[in-house]
Amino acid sequence: MALNNSPINKVLIYVLALIFFSCSTDKSTQTSTASKNYFVSTQHISVPTQHNDNFRTGWNNNETELTTSNLRIDYFGLLFSLSVDDQVYSQPLVAANVNIGNGLHNVVYAATVNNSVYAYDGDSGALYWNKNYTQSGMRVVKNTDMTGACGGNYQDFSGNIGIVGTPVIDNVAKTIYFVARSTNGISFHQYLHAVNITNGNDVKAPVEITATYSGTGDGSVNGVVTFDPQRQNQRAGLTLSNGIVYINWSSHCDWGPYHGWIMGYNASTLQQQIVYNDTPNQWDGGIWESGQGLAVDDTGNLYIATGNGGVNNLNGGKDFGESAVKLTPNGNTLTVASFFTPYNYAYLNSVDLDFGSLGSLLIPHSNYFFTGCKDGSLFLLNKDNMGGFNPASNNVNQQLSLNNANANEHCQSAYFNGGSSEFVYLWAENDNLRAYPYTSGHLSNPTMSSVQGPTGQSGAVLSVSSNAGTNGVLWASFAFTGDAEHTVSPGILRALDANNVTHELWNSDMVASDFVGKYAKFSSPTIANGHVYLGTFSNTVQVYGLKLKKV
């Protein structure tokens, strides 16, 4: 029997699901599908990077099997759970047609905060390999190691802080790249790994991440700012562009001194080629973007949105806290090609309303860049002429507001082109899902869903699937109770009609056995090959799909 979303039924669902999980702890049971009656996919689509592509749209437009008509409880639901050894903060990735296990298979890769990576068959759930990448003689970094963060009560992480940022896969080189963190309790280390996707072996020896940058900013010594592997939080997804693996950093609860760093490593040799600091003569400027990766356009320019931090960006100034920035690779650094800083950046700094909390989205086939701020402001910027800084007003292409003081945009946007209509989606905490029609550099008044959304201080993470412009489905993952910023909370996965978000198609609370488990903060749903892969804090990746065999 389908259950509605009343508070009593939500509690009942949660209790039943906990019982279900406690009775399903055997690994072979969770990963075997031999006895399951499920749809056999014939698709072979890869999702090699956070939010599907370097525009960060979150859109798979090659999904032919999941439709707006078959997402119902008698056809669609939880197929199986993939067991892992700790929480999954990163987005699961998929590589298609990998030569593994005596054949070509779709493989899903999951990384955990215990510094482990797992390679599972994306269709059957069979485990191909798993390895741990903690440095020999060391242990994983923990939240309790951040002794100065949040006054010594750091709860943004609830335990280990190993692999957090979403890895990136080079399908041609058959290599997955990620950053793992280790410590001996005294010194702290971050390493870039490049491993073979067929067996988990190192393609190159892991490289310890170190850097310096000329500047007189916070923490500098004799005109040099040095990267701090303890304070610098590698939260956002990694980016692969033109043979360079880009990595960026923010902080742990504004525990300074820290800065917003971007580093680029040669994907073949792992040699460091680019180092950039966005506040070398000021302070902070973290690039965290709710876990999203850097956005990259077709010519290789990078787009970032920075949080609280010092600003000195006129007349040759190099400090871009609270800003959107277009960066062009130039030798061993990045050159600012355009930028925008809100006129009220000082106020935003004073009350911890970071710019860029929404992350980065480049609108496909356009000249526009979309991002937002914790104060509920949204910005659609001309990516080549963002607007600079004016102390009296924001000279931007378009600015909108959620008009909701509690909607702080700890979330990720997504994009869909349905042929006759394009949409940008946003679901901030304590707010309704919004679908903004997009036309030629302009966002119109949104359609808003009345479906219950996220509360507390963590909004929804969104993805979209469709078959080109048809059967568009918007997928939303969030905590359905509690404040997921500082507590581990039960999650929910919702599917809505991407052309009409007032129409919910399915959600994981309709049937107790479809329960998500514990919500994974900022881990986007991955939709590929008739399946939805969802990381959790229940030490699983949940795999949803069509339950009936193909006929």
Side-chain angles (χ1 to χ4, degrees):
M1 179 180 68
L3 299 176
N4 61 35
N5 284 327
S6 70
I8 294 175
N9 281 331
K10 281 186 175 292
V11 173
L12 177 59
I13 290 169
Y14 188 37
V15 172
L16 291 173
L18 289 177
I19 295 171
F20 172 79
F21 271 96
S22 68
C23 295
S24 304
T25 56
D26 179 71
K27 187 174 184 179
S28 63
T29 300
Q30 292 191 19
T31 60
S32 172
T33 61
S35 61
K36 290 189 178 291
N37 186 31
Y38 68 99
F39 184 93
V40 179
S41 176
T42 58
Q43 298 179 101
H44 304 284
I45 301 299
S46 296
V47 179
T49 191
Q50 192 276 333
H51 244 198
N52 292 69
D53 53 57
N54 280 353
F55 284 9
R56 307 304 171 189
T57 64
W59 179 28
N60 172 12
N61 65 348
N62 292 292
E63 176 52 55
T64 62
E65 293 164 2
L66 301 178
T67 71
T68 54
S69 59
N70 63 21
L71 293 180
R72 58 180 198 257
I73 58 174
D74 55 337
Y75 265 65
F76 180 84
L78 182 65
L79 301 181
F80 47 89
S81 301
L82 306 177
S83 297
V84 295
D85 63 6
D86 211 329
Q87 296 174 336
V88 178
Y89 272 77
S90 61
Q91 178 180 342
L93 300 178
V94 176
N97 284 327
V98 179
N99 190 358
I100 193 172
N102 299 317
L104 297 177
H105 299 274
N106 298 325
V107 182
V108 58
Y109 296 87
T112 77
V113 290
N114 193 45
N115 282 337
S116 295
V117 177
Y118 291 75
Y120 276 103
D121 191 292
D123 299 309
S124 72
L127 177 63
Y128 292 120
W129 58 263
N130 72 280
K131 291 191 176 183
N132 185 271
Y133 297 92
T134 304
Q135 290 297 301
S136 177
M138 298 188 186
R139 61 167 174 81
V140 182
V141 175
K142 301 178 182 296
N143 63 333
T144 53
D145 292 319
M146 305 303 155
T147 53
C150 295
N153 186 30
Y154 185 50
Q155 298 177 351
D156 288 4
F157 292 88
S158 61
N160 287 334
I161 313 176
I163 302 171
V164 179
T166 299
V168 66
I169 295 175
D170 185 335
N171 280 321
V172 175
K174 305 300 180 187
T175 302
I176 184 170
Y177 302 89
F178 54 88
V179 173
R181 296 178 242 199
S182 302
T183 183
N184 59 10
I186 300 173
S187 61
F188 292 80
H189 308 268
Q190 298 189 28
Y191 283 84
L192 173 61
H193 291 259
V195 307
N196 189 301
I197 62 175
T198 64
N199 54 31
N201 294 337
D202 290 317
V203 174
K204 293 287 184 179
V207 172
E208 183 163 12
I209 294 170
T210 61
T212 58
Y213 204 84
S214 296
T216 57
D218 201 11
S220 64
V221 177
N222 297 324
V224 175
V225 180
T226 300
F227 176 80
D228 185 336
Q230 180 181 16
R231 285 176 169 83
Q232 298 289 167
N233 181 15
Q234 204 292 290
R235 181 63 189 93
L238 276 62
T239 301
L240 178 63
S241 174
N242 294 328
I244 303 294
V245 177
Y246 291 99
I247 313 166
N248 52 289
W249 285 266
S250 55
S251 68
H252 296 280
C253 196
D254 285 330
W255 180 28
Y258 75 90
H259 297 268
W261 292 84
I262 302 175
M263 300 184 205
Y265 289 80
N266 184 290
S268 298
T269 65
L270 293 193
Q271 290 184 337
Q272 187 182 85
Q273 290 190 197
I274 291 175
V275 176
Y276 174 77
N277 186 310
D278 64 22
T279 53
N281 300 308
Q282 294 283 329
W283 44 274
D284 298 3
I287 312 165
W288 70 286
E289 300 193 336
S290 292
Q292 290 202 223
L294 302 174
V296 187
D297 67 20
D298 290 331
T299 58
N301 297 296
L302 310 181
Y303 298 81
I304 63 172
T306 69
N308 294 334
V311 174
N312 181 18
N313 51 32
L314 300 179
N315 302 316
K318 299 180 179 180
D319 302 295
F320 292 88
E322 299 279 18
S323 300
V325 188
K326 175 182 179 179
L327 298 162
T328 300
N330 182 15
N332 64 352
T333 188
L334 299 169
T335 299
V336 175
S338 186
F339 75 93
F340 163 68
T341 303
Y343 78 93
N344 61 339
Y345 77 84
Y347 167 75
L348 298 177
N349 274 330
S350 69
V351 290
D352 190 28
L353 291 177
D354 301 68
F355 185 87
S357 60
L358 181 59
S360 299
L361 169 64
L362 286 171
I363 307 295
H365 311 296
S366 83
N367 212 44
Y368 296 96
F369 172 75
F370 179 73
T371 190
C373 180
K374 280 185 186 177
D375 70 351
S377 297
L378 303 174
F379 299 91
L380 186 64
L381 307 174
N382 183 318
K383 68 183 183 66
D384 298 324
N385 185 15
M386 289 185 166
F389 172 69
N390 184 313
S393 63
N394 293 329
N395 299 324
V396 297
N397 174 69
Q398 187 179 10
Q399 180 175 346
L400 305 93
S401 176
L402 299 181
N403 294 313
N404 181 345
N406 295 314
N408 290 158
E409 298 180 17
H410 297 82
C411 53
Q412 298 172 5
S413 57
Y415 167 87
F416 171 59
N417 186 339
S420 60
S421 301
E422 296 180 68
F423 296 97
V424 172
Y425 305 97
L426 175 68
W427 205 345
E429 61 268 37
N430 308 301
D431 198 34
N432 297 96
L433 167 64
R434 299 167 184 247
Y436 290 90
Y438 169 81
T439 306
S440 302
H442 181 78
L443 296 171
S444 302
N445 291 333
T447 298
M448 300 176 66
S449 171
S450 61
V451 172
Q452 178 184 337
T455 59
Q457 286 292 306
S458 185
V461 286
L462 306 176
S463 299
V464 181
S465 64
S466 73
N467 181 9
T470 65
N471 284 308
V473 179
L474 176 67
W475 302 87
S477 173
F478 55 88
F480 72 70
T481 62
D483 184 341
E485 182 180 22
H486 292 143
T487 60
V488 176
S489 305
I492 187 170
L493 177 66
R494 294 190 186 274
L496 304 102
D497 188 327
N499 283 297
N500 178 14
V501 296
T502 64
H503 179 206
E504 182 176 48
L505 305 168
W506 173 92
N507 73 64
S508 57
D509 276 5
M510 289 177 171
V511 176
S513 58
D514 288 340
F515 180 61
V516 163
K518 298 172 183 176
Y519 167 66
K521 185 168 53 176
F522 306 131
S523 178
S524 312
T526 299
I527 301 90
N529 310 317
H531 297 90
V532 180
Y533 303 98
L534 186 66
T536 77
F537 284 179
S538 297
N539 297 7
T540 65
V541 173
Q542 303 292 76
V543 183
Y544 295 86
L546 300 176
K547 295 185 285 188
L548 300 182
K549 284 185 178 179
K550 190 175 183 181
V551 295

